[in-house]
Amino acid sequence: MAMTRRTKQRLLAALIWIGGWALALAFVRTSLYWSDAQPYEGEVTEQRYIVFAMIAGVVMIGSVIAAIVVWWRAGRTSRGPRG
């Protein structure tokens, strides 16, 4: 059975969501690994951790928003124009 356009778009939305979260998690893991290799500088190091967490949060939120938009458009385009 062939996949419909709506199903493909919904699958793409799910992949965007999962991919964004995976990217954010990989970023956190890599950045913390790098940061731990640097000498501990107290407040500077703690601020660096906060910045890493904020960047990862923005990536996660962005992926969720992008996935919602793709999912929503999949539902709208399959029904045709309203009028």
Side-chain angles (χ1 to χ4, degrees):
M1 184 167 116
M3 289 186 3
T4 64
R5 182 176 180 198
R6 180 180 181 182
T7 304
K8 288 179 185 178
Q9 286 180 318
R10 295 245 164 123
L11 180 60
L12 176 63
L15 291 175
I16 290 170
W17 180 55
I18 292 168
W21 280 70
L23 177 65
L25 293 174
F27 169 76
V28 167
R29 178 69 179 143
T30 304
S31 60
L32 289 178
Y33 180 76
W34 170 82
S35 183
D36 289 344
Q38 308 301 315
Y40 184 76
E41 298 176 15
E43 189 175 325
V44 173
T45 302
E46 299 302 322
Q47 289 175 354
R48 189 183 310 146
Y49 290 158
I50 292 170
V51 170
F52 292 155
M54 288 174 31
I55 292 170
V58 168
V59 170
M60 287 179 173
I61 291 169
S63 71
V64 169
I65 291 171
I68 288 170
V69 168
V70 170
W71 188 279
W72 181 68
R73 285 186 179 174
R76 286 185 47 97
T77 58
S78 66
R79 292 187 212 125
R82 295 180 189 220

